[in-house]
Amino acid sequence: MKNINQILILTLSIAFLFNCENKNKKGNSNTNDIIEQQVDSVLALMTLKEKVGQMNQFNGSWDLTGPASNVSNQEKLERLKNGEVGSMLNVLSVKATREAQKLVMDNSRLKIPLIIGYDVIHGYKTIFPVPLGESASWDLDIIKKSAEIAANEASAAGVNWTFSPMIDISRDARWGRIMESSGEDPFLTAKIGVAKVQGYQGGDLSKNNTIAACAKHFAGYGFAEAGRDYNTVNIGEYELHNTVLPPFKAVAEAGVATFMNSFNEIDGIPATGHKEIQRNVLKGDWNWDGFIVSDWGSIGEMITHGYAKDKKHAAEIAANAGSDMDMESYAYVGYLEELVNEGKVNITLIDNAVKRILRVKFRLGLFDDPYKYCNEEREKNEIYTEENQAFSREVAKKSIVLLKNENNILPLSKNIKNIAVIGPLADDKDTPIGNWRAKGGRDTAISLLEGIKNAVLPSAKVTYAKGCDIVINKEIGRTFLLPLKFANTDKSGFPAAVNTAKNADVVILAIGEVALQTGEGRSQTNIGFAGVQQDLLEVILKVNKNVVITLMNGRPMDISWASENVPSILECWQLGSQSGNAIADVLFGDYNPSGKLPVSFPHNVGQEPLYYNQKMTGRPFNPTHVTFSAYRDAPKTALYPFGYGLSYTTFEYKNLTLDKNEILADGEIKVSVDVINTGDRDGEEVVQLYIRDLVGSLTRPIKELKGFEKIMLKAGETKTINFTINGELLQFYTINKIWEVEPGDFELWVGGDSTTKLKSNFAVKE
Ligand code: NOJ
């Protein structure tokens, strides 16, 4: 009699041949049918232990992106050999991937390949701007392409799966992970999420240069109370559906291969154990067929939450709620078999989870070739190429936002004689690499100082002074898991900085946040300039008024004082490998800035969480009476609003026209507007469309982004931009707990930021 291995190989080979033949003849749905058959044929051969094994993910010993477990390498090794591991994360390099995969292939009974995941968040080794910065480009084509490049590099180094995109709506500048997000708006976040999924996964996951994407964190993680990471989330069901879930639905529809759930609880239920959102909404209503991985240790953390009494209980809750794969809790390998045997977890749920995992592995082509990502030649030739660097510069310059430019101090002439480049981040080659930098090396970015020197004529005098530092333990701080020490108050560098500033034609001042001030576990209550940066700014302004701040940061900062006192501010985020060159492109006018804020900048931290798409409240505002919703010591609106960003040219909007002012719920309105470049430079503008649903079965936001287009206009040129309003844009999750369009009156605005006043209206009739 044949042994199980031979049976498996036979089944798989038949399925494979069948697959190849049909792939050539017919389209995708057939491929899916074949994959389903293959999945079933493998599942039929699996023991319960092997099934549970597929639901288990271990960390490799190459990197650590969460608290270390006490499971020994020996135990991991044994489990790999026994087919008790379905996935590993943080296995880096072709060599390591090959070794891990080989252990499984050579030793396990069923030889089911591992899927190998890694946090490739804004590039693998060629680093792009941090996601919040890249989102400021509002340019879906470059965002998609940067994900494509990240996938190409990661796959060349053995990685099959990235834990990206993070599409958590992020309204709180204090939350360190805002830097990984696309900001505060569901519509923009959804578009960017889809572009990234398309970039990572390409049209075809079975290619060797595409990788599986992962939508995270499901759900509500960005709503942590007081912006403190991992903190409690209290969000109502309707707000969850209308604000948090839409980007997830969009990427599910776009075919994202996997989801990751989140650390937080939602109204008392930890997301990892949340049956309603995982099983009923995602896998049920949305009919999504990929698998959900837990976040690092989040199954076990349900014990700490006070939701599970022990690890076994946690495993039971998570499996029943629809968490398919356990990242680093060791709860599933420890207890799932027992739980099934005791009838506490139904075997059909286990089968369902395993099928989802196998499906993704088949889609990736791992069964055809478990070593498909193990190509040393690709690893040598396709990572950190000149071409990728050039593209990183493109993305970086398009992500810069011009916040202020009094008297057109920018762009600078390249004939400028004397430039002072000052500040703790001016010659910092590390900060622009940002947090979650994958294999982005320390100190590998082009610093601002280098970028400026590359750009100016040889006759220009470029002088540099650091002025001060931001943190005390910068070296230690670069190690992912260690806290930074705040703040460095040493002013001994001030005199040199003042001297440097004194005789310069212009001072370029690089201040803000070091790389690891944002990211996981990096929440802050102070979002101003840490340490003595503000003092440095003040002493410099005393000797030279021509100051341009190049702000580097991963969160919206409180820059109110600077905004009032400095003539020009460029928001430069943490722009990645080519940061300095990209900033210089903008400073000297080789590129006309076109970025727009994906998140509101507050007047001060007390306004957080701050977002443009708020609700009206019953008492919105009355300047002459106190019993209205306002702060008595600060405005309630943003210092720089969502969607805002200047250019070296100016744009005017006129002739806002709607082809009709009434439609039925399934109707359409064509909206058009003329955009004119009224300045004397060519430039790009992001034309934005907002609506307001005036009365609803639930209260509606005062404005909601529902369309945007990034256009290029030559100096003096006019373009007519068209949008279509339809039911898909007008619907929301109503009191009936379904998505529907409610008849009634709507307002509509078009313009260059969320405060635009160019307005019209229309109605949806019964
Ligand atoms: C924890 C983070 O929350 C998640 O985003 C990340 O993907 C995992 N750790 C793995 O590193």
Side-chain angles (χ1 to χ4, degrees):
M1 199 181 127
K2 288 187 169 69
N3 71 22
I4 189 97
N5 245 346
Q6 287 168 309
I7 298 172
L8 176 75
I9 290 164
L10 197 68
T11 323
L12 290 179
S13 329
I14 292 167
F16 176 61
L17 289 175
F18 185 60
N19 183 3
C20 292
E21 202 169 291
N22 279 276
K23 232 190 220 166
N24 297 336
K25 280 196 224 143
K26 298 176 192 161
N28 259 342
S29 67
N30 245 13
T31 313
N32 282 341
D33 291 348
I34 292 155
I35 286 180
E36 290 313 300
Q37 291 166 19
Q38 292 171 318
V39 165
D40 287 339
S41 59
V42 176
L43 188 77
L45 302 172
M46 295 173 79
T47 62
L48 178 56
K49 192 183 240 3
E50 285 161 343
K51 289 177 184 174
V52 170
Q54 284 304 302
M55 297 170 70
N56 172 38
Q57 185 188 54
F58 277 167
N59 189 52
S61 48
W62 295 265
D63 200 352
L64 200 63
T65 50
S69 72
N70 51 13
V71 174
S72 68
N73 282 344
Q74 191 51 37
E75 179 182 335
K76 289 187 185 179
L77 205 72
E78 286 314 309
R79 289 201 192 268
L80 274 164
K81 288 184 179 166
N82 292 341
E84 289 173 56
V85 185
S87 172
M88 291 184 77
L89 78 153
N90 296 334
V91 174
L92 306 175
S93 79
V94 162
K95 184 167 172 275
T97 299
R98 190 188 290 285
E99 272 170 19
Q101 205 69 280
K102 207 165 173 318
L103 275 174
V104 174
M105 289 301 133
D106 291 354
N107 300 290
S108 69
R109 189 181 75 98
L110 292 182
K111 306 186 189 312
I112 299 176
L114 296 166
I115 174 171
I116 295 197
Y118 189 43
D119 290 286
V120 181
I121 307 296
H122 51 115
Y124 181 73
K125 192 168 170 70
T126 300
I127 299 298
F128 296 97
V130 292
L132 188 66
E134 190 181 62
S135 303
S137 71
W138 294 55
D139 187 328
L140 301 177
D141 293 335
I142 61 158
I143 291 173
K144 178 174 166 190
K145 174 105 192 267
S146 79
E148 200 177 297
I149 290 175
N152 197 66
E153 289 197 359
S155 63
V159 174
N160 330 157
W161 176 24
T162 173
F163 303 128
S164 168
M166 178 181 122
I167 46 176
D168 295 312
I169 297 302
S170 307
R171 293 169 161 179
D172 199 324
R174 295 169 295 182
W175 191 46
R177 298 199 81 170
I178 195 168
M179 147 277 197
E180 273 178 76
S181 78
S182 292
E184 70 195 34
D185 184 71
F187 186 86
L188 180 62
T189 300
K191 295 282 179 208
I192 290 175
V194 169
K196 287 193 180 176
V197 169
Q198 289 168 344
Y200 291 130
Q201 299 194 168
D204 182 358
L205 271 183
S206 72
K207 287 188 174 164
N208 70 355
N209 63 350
T210 56
I211 57 178
C214 180
K216 70 187 189 187
H217 304 84
F218 199 61
Y221 186 36
F223 280 63
E225 267 181 13
R228 176 160 53 78
D229 206 3
Y230 318 115
N231 202 9
T232 308
V233 169
N234 275 310
I235 181 171
E237 180 191 346
Y238 296 105
E239 185 70 349
L240 184 73
H241 279 267
N242 281 311
T243 303
V244 172
L245 298 188
F248 287 101
K249 181 153 191 273
V251 296
E253 281 166 6
V256 68
T258 69
F259 265 54
M260 183 185 292
N261 55 34
S262 54
F263 292 123
N264 56 283
E265 64 161 76
I266 309 168
D267 196 17
I269 304 173
T272 305
H274 210 295
K275 191 169 167 189
E276 171 60 22
I277 62 167
Q278 298 186 107
R279 245 187 227 296
N280 301 352
V281 175
L282 173 60
K283 295 178 177 178
D285 299 347
W286 301 352
N287 203 20
W288 175 76
D289 68 2
F291 72 84
I292 306 178
V293 63
S294 80
D295 203 344
W296 182 293
S298 69
I299 296 180
E301 285 174 19
M302 288 198 288
I303 306 167
T304 333
H305 273 287
Y307 193 70
K309 54 179 186 291
D310 52 27
K311 224 179 224 187
K312 183 172 172 187
H313 189 205
E316 177 188 341
I317 294 170
N320 282 325
S323 291
D324 301 311
M325 187 181 274
D326 170 2
M327 180 194 290
E328 278 290 303
S329 284
Y330 304 88
Y332 283 0
V333 270
Y335 303 100
L336 263 191
E337 259 186 281
E338 220 173 295
L339 286 162
V340 172
N341 292 333
E342 288 166 8
K344 291 194 172 137
V345 176
N346 195 304
I347 185 69
T348 57
L349 298 184
I350 303 290
D351 285 352
N352 183 277
V354 175
K355 276 172 91 162
R356 288 169 179 276
I357 294 163
L358 295 178
R359 188 177 289 137
V360 172
K361 291 184 175 183
F362 270 110
R363 285 182 181 157
L364 279 168
L366 284 167
F367 279 95
D368 294 347
D369 178 7
Y371 302 105
K372 64 174 281 217
Y373 297 97
C374 301
N375 180 335
E376 282 83 358
E377 275 303 294
R378 283 194 62 209
E379 188 174 42
K380 211 162 73 204
N381 300 324
E382 294 183 23
I383 297 176
Y384 210 59
T385 60
E386 263 176 39
E387 210 185 332
N388 292 355
Q389 290 297 312
F391 196 69
S392 169
R393 180 168 176 168
E394 275 302 296
V395 181
K397 70 190 189 192
K398 287 180 176 234
S399 303
I400 294 170
V401 186
L402 179 61
L403 294 178
K404 185 176 179 194
N405 197 21
E406 217 169 66
N407 305 325
N408 291 332
I409 181 170
L410 291 178
L412 304 172
S413 157
K414 282 193 187 160
N415 286 324
I416 195 159
K417 300 244 160 20
N418 190 347
I419 306 186
V421 185
I422 299 178
L425 304 174
D427 197 23
D428 185 338
K429 292 170 69 60
D430 192 67
T431 282
I433 301 296
N435 203 338
W436 286 116
R437 53 178 61 190
K439 293 295 261 184
R442 285 180 179 185
D443 297 322
T444 52
I446 304 287
S447 77
L448 176 63
L449 182 62
E450 289 171 326
I452 289 176
K453 284 185 174 163
N454 292 341
V456 293
L457 296 176
S459 55
K461 187 172 157 208
V462 180
T463 47
Y464 162 71
K466 191 176 193 185
C468 64
D469 269 310
I470 299 175
V471 288
I472 295 166
N473 59 341
K474 191 166 176 223
E475 276 311 312
I476 299 170
R478 287 178 193 183
T479 310
F480 180 75
L481 296 168
L482 295 174
L484 298 171
K485 277 201 194 130
F486 288 107
N488 200 313
T489 52
D490 180 3
K491 292 187 180 178
S492 59
F494 278 27
V498 169
N499 254 342
T500 309
K502 229 180 236 163
N503 304 313
D505 299 321
V506 67
V507 176
I508 312 293
L509 183 66
I511 50 179
E513 301 182 316
V514 295
L516 296 188
Q517 272 182 265
T518 49
E520 187 174 350
R522 310 276 176 178
S523 297
Q524 288 183 188
T525 57
N526 175 9
I527 58 168
F529 294 107
V532 291
Q533 297 183 88
Q534 172 87 27
D535 308 67
L536 178 65
L537 168 59
E538 289 177 24
V539 294
I540 285 171
L541 274 177
K542 283 199 182 121
V543 296
N544 193 333
K545 296 271 172 261
N546 276 345
V547 173
V548 176
I549 292 184
T550 51
L551 191 65
M552 297 182 190
N553 50 324
R555 59 159 58 80
M557 291 182 65
D558 170 355
I559 52 168
S560 334
W561 192 91
S563 172
E564 224 165 83
N565 294 284
V566 175
S568 184
I569 305 177
L570 268 188
E571 170 54 78
C572 300
W573 314 105
Q574 287 147 351
L575 288 175
S577 307
Q578 288 288 321
S579 174
N581 286 334
I583 301 172
D585 286 339
V586 170
L587 287 174
F588 296 100
D590 291 327
Y591 182 72
N592 186 355
S594 64
K596 300 275 188 174
L597 295 178
V599 69
S600 306
F601 272 49
H603 290 268
N604 70 52
V605 70
Q607 290 180 290
E608 295 295 327
L610 180 68
Y611 48 99
Y612 83 97
N613 43 357
Q614 303 167 359
K615 299 293 188 66
M616 195 59 145
T617 80
R619 294 185 176 192
F621 187 58
N622 180 339
T624 61
H625 198 292
V626 292
T627 58
F628 284 84
S629 181
Y631 296 110
R632 299 299 151 206
D633 59 351
K636 81 176 195 192
T637 49
L639 175 64
Y640 294 111
F642 175 82
Y644 171 87
L646 302 172
S647 161
Y648 294 153
T649 187
T650 45
F651 299 101
E652 194 188 311
Y653 286 72
K654 57 182 192 200
N655 300 331
L656 174 60
T657 318
L658 275 58
D659 73 341
K660 47 181 109 57
N661 291 92
E662 275 185 18
I663 48 168
L664 295 173
D666 60 355
E668 248 182 36
I669 298 179
K670 301 266 182 232
V671 178
S672 71
V673 69
D674 291 343
V675 188
I676 310 149
N677 180 341
T678 47
D680 54 8
R681 270 175 183 266
D682 301 351
E684 289 159 275
E685 168 71 330
V686 181
V687 183
Q688 300 159 43
L689 176 134
Y690 297 87
I691 62 151
R692 179 174 173 206
D693 183 350
L694 287 174
V695 179
S697 61
L698 302 166
T699 58
R700 310 295 302 128
I702 53 175
K703 243 178 208 173
E704 293 178 272
L705 182 73
K706 290 293 174 181
F708 64 90
E709 195 178 330
K710 189 161 187 172
I711 56 167
M712 163 58 97
L713 285 179
K714 298 220 163 306
E717 191 187 1
T718 301
K719 269 188 187 161
T720 303
I721 305 304
N722 301 303
F723 294 100
T724 303
I725 298 281
N726 56 26
E728 204 181 313
L729 295 177
L730 301 178
Q731 64 179 345
F732 69 103
Y733 188 79
T734 69
I735 193 76
N736 299 324
K737 301 187 191 254
I738 51 169
W739 281 80
E740 58 185 332
V741 182
E742 288 185 343
D745 293 330
F746 289 78
E747 291 176 329
L748 174 150
W749 296 261
V750 176
D753 68 59
S754 60
T755 63
T756 171
K757 303 277 177 297
L758 185 61
K759 183 174 168 189
S760 187
N761 41 47
F762 64 92
V764 175
K765 292 285 164 198
E766 301 258 9

